[in-house]
Amino acid sequence: MHSPLNTADTYGFDISYLLVSQNGIPATSFKAGVPLTISWESTGTYFRLFAGGQSQAVYEGTQTTATLSNITVDTTFTLEASVPGSGKLYKSVTIYISNPTLTPNSIKVTTVHTVNKDLTANNNATFNQLNVNGQLVFPDSHDPSLQINGYLNTGCAITVSKDTNIQGTATINDLTINSNIRVNGNFNNKNGTQVTHLDAAGLNAANTTTQKLEIAQSLNAVDGSVSMLITGNTVYQGGENTTKKITAKTDGYLLVYLPTSPPGYAIMTLDIYGYKFQLMGNFVLSDTTIPNSNTLFLPISNGTPFTFTIHHYLYKPIFTVNWYPIGTAASVADTYEIIDIPTDTTKTPQFDIAALQATRLETATAFLENIERTCHKTIDAPIKQILVEKLLALT
């Protein structure tokens, strides 16, 4: 087809042929997306190739071939040939796509229809009954809502990021919900449910795991047991001068233990809830023959951050920090987070043993002198010395 000029009008200026081929074989029917070669022969010197109703040429130049690979629907190609001073000639050829990619304004299915490949709806799609054997994807991140008026049966996993309201019956093998779920009918779940908030009138789940469960009225367990306290985990064990921060990811209990070991002195300071707790021990500072172990046991609520700082003198006593979460998780380590505070913020205390012992001796002597003045009596020197030593031995 020549339009608007023909060979006779242009004095030997013509387009001999225009054809479409794949791998050197001419054809008019192809699969969507396969590379196509459009070739022609003409006495023209410059060419432009147009595809369908596009106003922009898909090829422009002096060559007589062009390769395209993004054709997904039936398309008419129009070649424009030109010679300076001789006008322009046009020739067209139409190809057909056996598996076109369609973007309809609306789809209405009156009978049962099976889609064996991908089905994409960029706007609204309403289903009375939807059976999904593969993956169901909602690409609109601003409004990924799903409304099903009939029955939903899926053999694959469903992830819901916004609120979900189930009016009828839903049977789902694996469901993850990052927002709220409200169930007014029956909800049957085989493999377990992960949900931020659950408000259910009817719930039947073979295996349900929740980190936070709020019950407004009552919870009845007719069989089985409720697991509250699981095996603890050693968060820290050591004696180096260090500061660490721990954040609880569930409610639980913290147990810190400082046993007796070779002569030395150690302090652990625990900062939590705006208070400071200290474990001081290993051996009494004034007398390394008197052992002194210590233990701290505190309840910790979910989301609470706290820090502990260890200082030691002489030998390094071993502190053990154990965490006992309430409830269950994939692992105990998932119920807390621990990070190191830079060591340059940790200051090692400097103990002046002689000065400390002198201060304690002065305090003990003054205490006994006050007793003498109060009783108007003088304590014999040997007895007074024994009393001072007993006072110094106290922790």
Side-chain angles (χ1 to χ4, degrees):
M1 179 180 71
H2 295 260
S3 174
L5 302 176
N6 57 37
T7 305
D9 298 326
T10 54
Y11 308 102
F13 171 33
D14 65 358
I15 300 175
S16 300
Y17 66 82
L18 174 64
L19 60 84
V20 184
S21 62
Q22 181 185 13
N23 299 325
I25 302 175
T28 56
S29 179
F30 305 91
K31 289 186 176 181
V34 301
L36 306 177
T37 299
I38 299 127
S39 57
W40 58 88
E41 185 171 326
S42 171
T43 55
T45 58
Y46 194 81
F47 308 98
R48 293 199 300 168
L49 182 66
F50 297 89
Q54 299 182 29
S55 59
Q56 185 71 28
V58 295
Y59 168 77
E60 187 171 354
T62 59
Q63 301 297 320
T64 58
T65 62
T67 300
L68 306 175
S69 59
N70 58 347
I71 307 303
T72 58
V73 295
D74 298 347
T75 304
T76 296
F77 294 101
T78 301
L79 177 68
E80 176 190 275
S82 61
V83 174
S86 298
K88 299 178 180 178
L89 283 180
Y90 296 86
K91 196 174 187 66
S92 300
V93 61
T94 300
I95 66 167
Y96 303 94
I97 301 299
S98 59
N99 59 331
T101 300
L102 303 178
T103 309
N105 290 328
S106 64
I107 297 178
K108 183 178 181 180
V109 181
T110 57
T111 59
V112 176
H113 182 66
T114 300
V115 179
N116 294 322
K117 292 195 174 182
D118 295 343
L119 173 63
T120 302
N122 293 324
N123 291 312
N124 295 332
T126 302
F127 302 93
N128 289 326
Q129 179 172 334
L130 176 64
N131 294 321
V132 180
N133 294 321
Q135 187 178 21
L136 184 62
V137 179
F138 301 93
D140 187 355
S141 59
H142 300 290
D143 184 20
S145 57
L146 170 65
Q147 179 178 352
I148 298 176
N149 299 319
Y151 181 76
L152 171 63
N153 184 8
T154 171
C156 61
I158 290 183
T159 299
V160 182
S161 59
K162 296 191 106 176
D163 290 356
T164 300
N165 191 0
I166 299 176
Q167 299 289 346
T169 298
T171 301
I172 301 173
N173 286 339
D174 189 6
L175 175 65
T176 300
I177 298 178
N178 298 321
S179 186
N180 297 335
I181 178 172
R182 297 178 180 87
V183 181
N184 298 319
N186 294 325
F187 178 70
N188 302 316
N189 179 247
K190 296 178 181 178
N191 294 340
T193 301
Q194 298 179 15
V195 58
T196 302
H197 176 77
L198 175 62
D199 180 8
L203 174 63
N204 180 11
N207 181 18
T208 301
T209 301
T210 177
Q211 291 291 333
K212 183 179 182 181
L213 177 63
E214 297 181 359
I215 303 171
Q217 295 183 0
S218 63
L219 172 65
N220 297 325
V222 297
D223 191 11
S225 61
V226 178
S227 178
M228 295 295 291
L229 194 64
I230 61 176
T231 304
N233 188 63
T234 300
V235 174
Y236 172 82
Q237 190 171 55
E240 297 294 333
N241 289 339
T242 185
T243 297
K244 295 182 181 294
K245 178 181 178 181
I246 300 177
T247 301
K249 295 185 178 180
T250 183
D251 294 340
Y253 293 92
L254 189 72
L255 174 63
V256 184
Y257 176 61
L258 174 63
T260 301
S261 57
Y265 187 69
I267 298 177
M268 172 182 278
T269 303
L270 187 70
D271 291 286
I272 185 171
Y273 303 125
Y275 298 95
K276 290 183 181 293
F277 299 89
Q278 280 192 336
L279 279 81
M280 301 175 62
N282 194 43
F283 280 86
V284 176
L285 186 59
S286 63
D287 190 343
T288 57
T289 64
I290 302 177
N292 180 33
S293 62
N294 216 329
T295 301
L296 178 66
F297 187 70
L298 285 176
I300 308 294
S301 61
N302 182 19
T304 301
F306 57 93
T307 61
F308 65 84
T309 302
I310 296 175
H311 297 304
H312 66 269
Y313 179 74
L314 296 178
Y315 295 96
K316 299 176 182 179
I318 301 300
F319 284 92
T320 300
V321 181
N322 288 330
W323 167 245
Y324 295 90
I326 296 176
T328 59
S331 68
V332 179
D334 293 333
T335 63
Y336 70 90
E337 179 184 51
I338 182 170
I339 60 174
D340 290 326
I341 304 299
T343 55
D344 55 1
T345 64
T346 303
K347 297 181 179 179
T348 302
Q350 301 297 323
F351 297 107
D352 189 340
I353 304 298
L356 182 59
Q357 289 179 336
T359 300
R360 295 191 66 192
L361 176 60
E362 181 180 348
T363 302
T365 302
F367 176 75
L368 293 176
E369 289 175 351
N370 286 333
I371 292 178
E372 288 178 328
R373 284 192 294 270
T374 302
C375 297
H376 302 290
K377 290 185 178 181
T378 301
I379 303 174
D380 293 338
I383 300 300
K384 194 173 184 178
Q385 179 62 31
I386 293 175
L387 291 175
V388 169
E389 292 177 355
K390 294 295 183 181
L391 289 174
L392 292 177
L394 295 177
T395 58

